[in-house]
Each structure stands twice: as structure tokens, then as C-alpha cells.
Amino acid sequence: MCVESDGCEIEGCSSSDEVRTLSGSMSPGLKSNPDLHPCKPGQKFQAALLRCRSPAAAAGILSFGNVLNYMDRYTVAGVLLDIQRHYGVSDSGIGLLQTVFICSFMVAAPIFGYLGDRFNRKVILSCGIFFWSIVTLSSSFISKEYYWLFVLSRGLVGIGESSYSSISPTIIGDLFTSNSRTMMLSVFYLAIPLGSGLGYILGSSAKVAAGDWHWALRVSPVLGITAGTLILVFVPEPKRGSVDQMGGRIKTRTSWLCDMKALAKNRSYVFSSLASAAVSFATGAFGMWIPLYLARAQVVQKTAEACTKEICSSTDSLIFGAITCVTGLLGVVIGAATTRFCRQKTERADPLVCAVSMLGSAIFICLIFVVAKKSIVGAYVCIFIGETLLFLNWAITADILMFVVIPTRRATAVAFQSFTSHLLGDAGSPYLIGLISDALQQSYATSALWRFLSLGYALMLCPFIIVLGGMFFLATALFFLDDREKAEKQLSQLTRPPSSVKV
């Protein structure tokens, strides 16, 4: 039998059961007591609701929210050519959309990291989702005379999405440990490629179904509000570091300045953050430009006409979105399985798997620009293999952070890793690629062939950045064991067993 906080008896529970309270803590099962009275119907519903708030359910809901986070981000990329024609802007102008989004995202990340280490995390998450959902819906009604307002709206969406990306991994980190945490983080970070791919598919499909690209921005907000409500109702607020302390209690909290100094001295954290920046640079540029690059390739091959209609073909966005979904699934699953296997061989498995996958990805991404002029199918094959290898490291990088950073500063660590990766990565890469492409087009006579080649030459910067990221992961491997041991010692110093606490 289980007992709620008001003393009523909950039917259908055994004496060994536990009831999860509204704060997310667990109350031990109690023996039967003749003084208890049966629950009222409303209290039974509340008890059933609380039993649904399991760690697995919470991880599933947070992963669903992460899918929507990235789906909304890349819905714009799915209708990029339509937006460019509607507002009449250049390659660099359209690349500014993603740059403004990421800049606001990364500036807000440290603020939410600070808040996430000190206040109720699920409330911050829900408010962030509600905010970006409303702004995205509103942006679909901006007329063609106000492109600057559309750009500004993407910046506001970045602020809302920043709250989610900075805080949600830390909740999962406090619900699971060891291989279970690796698996749950793998599922959570599967949302990055899955949500990105679904963003292309949603944007393209909604545009075709409605005959208007604006409707691509009116679907994800409804799902976002649903996810925010689910988080408020079903996701618990676990105590920070509860699964890492093995029953201990944190007896002191470090200051924000102390946290920042410790993170700056954490070599594994610094190098893995720089490697993440390289990944973000490539994925940001690819996510924005590859569908447009392949559309121009087909014009050069004379298998498609240049878009002159109000609604442009969405075939390339749909195919690229589907490939991103599949490669994301494969990458995360293969990455988690490979890391688990390699941990039996070496304790440095996490950063080494990331390094090898990054270096392998660079080879196939280079081949995209070699074969695209002659074979679209060959380009898609190279994209498939290159993305699979690139997506291997998403969840592993997060797990590296969990190993080398103590629980009380993880939200800050995630936020500043996000800040660094976006500042040096996808904050500037879409705009930079567009700028290089525009500069090359102005230097030579403009033609369909040169528009295709100029964008390809600009995108060739990505594989070199990916190789640099692989080098940073190798550097992480050198310091990983030392930093993990330091984190374990720091955690033991910050905790003490419950028996030592005086009542």
C-alpha cells in the first residue's frame, strides 16, 4: 500500500512501492495503517499522475522537446529558397537568418546555465518552449517589406531555444548514471539530427500542402506548446547530483566565478568544447546550404530548371531531411554501441571514438563536392556516410562533460560549451559561406555553373574545420582520465554521507 502526503490510502500498491512527490523526490512505501482513509477520485487521479513521472518517461518527454527544438530551427532551411525569393535577398542576406539565430542563442546560453544551476529547471524549460513557439507563429505573418523584422524574430526564437539546450541534459544527468546515462543521453541527442531532418520535411511538406511557405512556420508552435505542458506535468525536478553522490549530500555550493575558473582549467572540457565548435561549424553550414547546393547542381546537370515560380521544388529538402533523420539514428546508435565496446579496451574510449569518426567524416564530405557536378546520387551517398560519422559524437561529447564536470556546475558547463561551439561554429558559418559565395560570384561572370561552383568552393571550408575538430578530440583523450579523477575527488569533497549529518 502507498500513502500520499495528505494521509489517504492509494489502492493497488504494494508495501514496497514508492510514491513520487510533486518536487520529484521519492517517499518510501509505508505499511498499512487502520487510521488511513480511502482516496477520493481526484486524489486517485493525482496519484496515478505522479506514478507516471518516472525517469524513463521524463527522458522521453525531454527528448521529444529536443526534437521540436531542432525541428523548429531547421524548418526555415526547408523553405530557404522560397524565403530568399519572397524577400529578394542575396546568399549572404539569407545566411544572416541562421547567424542571428545562433548569436542570440549563444548569448542567452550562459544566462540560462546560471539559472539552471540555481532555480527550478523544468519551469525554465517550459517557459522557453512557450516563448519560442509564440514567436515562431507570429513570424509567419511578417510581410515582404519587413525582412529585418523576420530576421529579428529568428533572434528571439534563439533565446527561447537556448533555455532548453542549456538545461535539459542536466536533468537527464541527474536521473541516470553510468551506461544508463550514456544510453539516455544518446536518445536525447538523437533529437538533433532527427529534429533537423524533420524540420526540412515539415517545412517542405507544409509548404506544398498549403501552397504557401508561411504555413511551414505554423505547425511546430502547436507541438511546442504541447511539449511545454508535458514537461510541467510529468518531468520531475531531481536533486542536483543525486545519482552521483551514492547517498551523500552536497554540503557546499561553489560560486559562479569559482565554477568558471574550474571549467577554464579543465582541459578535457576546453578541448571537447572546441571540437564541438568544429562540429557546429560544419552542421550549421551544411544544414543551411546543402539543399540549395544540390538544387544548383541539378540545374547544371540540366535535370532540373532554375526556380522562377512562387513555390519552388522541395525535393532536395525532403531527401536531405530524410537522410539526416536516418543518419542521425544510425550515428547515435553506432556511437553509443562503439563507445560501450571500446570502454572494455581503453578508458579513453569516449574522446577516441569521436576523433576517429570526425576524421573519417571529413573524407566523405570532401567527396561530396567532387561528385556532385556529375552525379546527384553519388553526392547523396557521400552525404549519408559523412553525416553518419559526424553524428557519432553528439551523445558521446555530452557524456564526456558529465564525466569531467561535477553535478553542481553542469548546467553552467553545458551552457558555456554551447556558447563556445556556437560562437566559433554555426553562429558565423552560414553567413560566412554565403559571403564567400557572393564574393566569388561577383568576381566572375554570373552563370548557373558559376553559382553552383562558387557555393561548392565556399563549402569546401567545412572538411578542413572537421579535421581540426578531430585533432581537438585527440587532445581531449590525453587529459580525459586525469580530469575525470579530479571531478570524482571534487565531488567527494563536496558531499558527506547522511549518517554524518546531525539532526
Side-chain angles (χ1 to χ4, degrees):
M1 171 167 38
C2 299
V3 179
E4 255 306 307
S5 58
D6 63 353
C8 74
E9 177 182 334
I10 301 173
E11 297 177 355
C13 297
S14 66
S15 60
S16 60
D17 286 338
E18 293 178 327
V19 176
R20 189 175 300 276
T21 65
L22 287 173
S23 64
S25 60
M26 303 293 291
S27 59
L30 302 176
K31 295 182 179 181
S32 179
N33 189 324
D35 295 331
L36 298 178
H37 56 85
C39 288
K40 298 177 182 179
Q43 293 169 326
K44 289 183 180 180
F45 174 77
Q46 182 187 31
L49 190 66
L50 294 176
R51 283 197 295 269
C52 293
R53 298 173 67 186
S54 65
I61 293 170
L62 291 173
S63 299
F64 172 63
N66 208 28
V67 168
L68 296 180
N69 221 29
Y70 280 87
M71 188 170 73
D72 178 79
R73 184 181 305 186
Y74 284 96
T75 298
V76 169
V79 291
L80 191 65
L81 188 55
D82 300 274
I83 295 175
Q84 188 175 30
R85 284 182 52 78
H86 180 77
Y87 288 105
V89 293
S90 63
D91 283 355
S92 58
I94 202 68
L96 195 62
L97 282 175
Q98 187 73 350
T99 295
V100 169
F101 171 91
I102 295 298
C103 284
S104 62
F105 184 101
M106 69 180 187
V107 169
I111 299 173
F112 287 116
Y114 176 86
L115 297 175
D117 276 336
R118 290 157 178 83
F119 300 100
N120 190 298
R121 290 173 287 186
K122 72 173 187 176
V123 172
I124 299 174
L125 294 183
S126 300
C127 291
I129 290 181
F130 293 146
F131 179 75
W132 70 248
S133 298
I134 294 170
V135 173
T136 298
L137 181 62
S138 302
S139 68
S140 68
F141 298 99
I142 298 174
S143 63
K144 64 174 63 179
E145 293 84 10
Y146 298 99
Y147 181 65
W148 65 269
L149 187 57
F150 188 77
V151 173
L152 178 62
S153 71
R154 296 309 298 170
L156 295 176
V157 170
I159 294 174
E161 294 189 10
S162 178
S163 65
Y164 199 91
S165 298
S166 301
I167 297 174
S168 48
T170 67
I171 296 180
I172 295 178
D174 285 331
L175 290 172
F176 302 93
T177 186
S178 190
N179 285 332
S180 298
R181 183 169 64 195
T182 302
M183 181 58 65
M184 289 302 174
L185 285 173
S186 297
V187 173
F188 178 81
Y189 281 101
L190 170 63
I192 295 178
L194 181 62
S196 302
L198 289 176
Y200 290 103
I201 296 171
L202 172 67
S204 303
S205 302
K207 175 190 71 176
V208 172
D212 183 359
W213 69 265
H214 292 88
W215 281 94
L217 303 177
R218 297 170 185 170
V219 178
S220 58
V222 177
L223 298 174
I225 292 173
T226 302
T229 304
L230 289 174
I231 289 172
L232 279 177
V233 175
F234 292 107
V235 174
E237 174 65 20
K239 293 182 178 180
R240 292 167 178 83
S242 56
V243 295
D244 296 278
Q245 299 170 48
M246 296 180 293
R249 296 181 183 177
I250 295 178
K251 61 181 180 180
T252 182
R253 178 179 293 279
T254 55
S255 66
W256 183 83
L257 186 60
C258 179
D259 290 345
M260 294 307 301
K261 287 181 179 179
L263 292 175
K265 294 178 181 179
N266 190 323
R267 294 166 295 183
S268 296
Y269 173 76
V270 171
F271 282 121
S272 63
S273 296
L274 292 173
S276 296
V279 176
S280 294
F281 185 98
T283 54
F286 267 52
M288 181 64 74
W289 292 114
I290 282 294
L292 187 58
Y293 175 73
L294 295 176
R296 292 181 182 181
Q298 292 179 67
V299 173
V300 170
Q301 295 176 18
K302 301 188 184 303
T303 58
E305 296 280 336
C307 180
T308 56
K309 300 178 293 183
E310 182 67 23
I311 301 297
C312 300
S313 173
S314 58
T315 303
D316 295 300
S317 293
L318 284 170
I319 295 175
F320 183 71
I323 288 176
T324 303
C325 289
V326 175
T327 55
L329 174 62
L330 287 176
V332 170
V333 171
I334 293 172
T338 303
T339 304
R340 191 179 301 111
F341 173 78
C342 291
R343 281 175 182 169
Q344 301 173 8
K345 309 294 182 181
T346 174
E347 293 183 339
R348 304 179 194 269
D350 296 64
L352 289 176
V353 169
C354 291
V356 172
S357 68
M358 289 278 282
L359 297 175
S361 174
I363 296 172
F364 288 96
I365 288 177
C366 272
L367 291 176
I368 295 172
F369 310 109
V370 176
V371 303
K373 185 178 178 182
K374 298 294 183 181
S375 172
I376 292 296
V377 175
Y380 277 130
V381 171
C382 292
I383 290 172
F384 187 93
I385 300 174
E387 281 196 341
T388 300
L389 292 172
L390 194 62
F391 292 151
L392 245 68
N393 63 72
W394 282 117
I396 305 174
T397 304
D399 215 22
I400 291 173
L401 185 149
M402 298 295 172
F403 277 122
V404 301
V405 177
I406 62 174
T408 54
R409 61 173 64 117
R410 281 176 183 165
T412 298
V414 171
F416 270 88
Q417 186 173 80
S418 177
F419 177 85
T420 303
S421 63
H422 290 309
L423 176 65
L424 303 178
D426 52 356
S429 63
Y431 180 69
L432 178 61
I433 298 301
L435 202 62
I436 295 173
S437 177
D438 281 347
L440 291 174
Q441 289 182 47
Q442 292 172 5
S443 301
Y444 298 91
T446 302
S447 65
L449 175 61
W450 188 242
R451 282 195 296 272
F452 162 71
L453 291 176
S454 63
L455 185 54
Y457 292 149
L459 286 168
M460 278 294 291
L461 180 62
C462 293
F464 294 100
I465 299 297
I466 292 174
V467 170
L468 185 62
M471 297 296 105
F472 284 131
F473 273 125
L474 288 176
T476 303
L478 294 176
F479 306 108
F480 178 66
L481 297 182
D482 289 340
D483 291 330
R484 185 178 67 179
E485 185 179 355
K486 289 179 183 177
E488 291 171 352
K489 289 181 179 179
Q490 286 178 324
L491 183 60
S492 65
Q493 293 171 358
L494 291 172
T495 60
R496 57 182 172 183
S499 57
S500 66
V501 180
K502 296 181 179 181
V503 180

